[in-house]
Amino acid sequence: MTKPNKAVAISSLKGNLLWSRLIKDPVRRMVLEQVEGDASLDLVTSKGMLIKIDPVTGAIRSTEAIPELP
């Protein structure tokens, strides 16, 4: 993540930019999740949204509101 809320992926082999995506709202948490070979970059925004991004392509897989706790 960059200061203006841009998620970027850089190749660890060549150092070149693979993809970048501007995130509208400030990102509060970022987690790289991997389950049985399938990876997802999960971003939680300041407005309570969960954005799941494909870490290889940068495509947004899903966006959903996180329910508020009582």
Side-chain angles (χ1 to χ4, degrees), residues 1-9 17 19-27 30 41 43 53:
M1 293 301 300
T2 65
K3 189 167 181 131
N5 290 322
K6 184 179 267 190
V8 296
L17 179 67
W19 57 262
S20 67
R21 178 167 295 283
L22 186 62
I23 307 300
K24 182 180 172 183
D25 300 322
V27 174
M30 179 175 64
L41 180 62
L43 307 175
I53 298 177

Side-chain angles (χ1 to χ4, degrees), residues 48 65-70:
I66 299 173
E68 290 188 32
L69 296 174

Side-chain angles (χ1 to χ4, degrees), residues 20-51:
S20 67
R21 178 167 295 283
L22 186 62
I23 307 300
K24 182 180 172 183
D25 300 322
V27 174
R28 297 294 180 217
R29 300 280 187 269
M30 179 175 64
V31 176
L32 180 61
E33 178 182 25
Q34 186 170 355
V35 178
E36 297 179 9
D38 184 36
S40 177
L41 180 62
D42 298 346
L43 307 175
V44 177
T45 71
S46 62
K47 293 191 176 180
M49 297 299 292
L50 173 62
I51 303 169

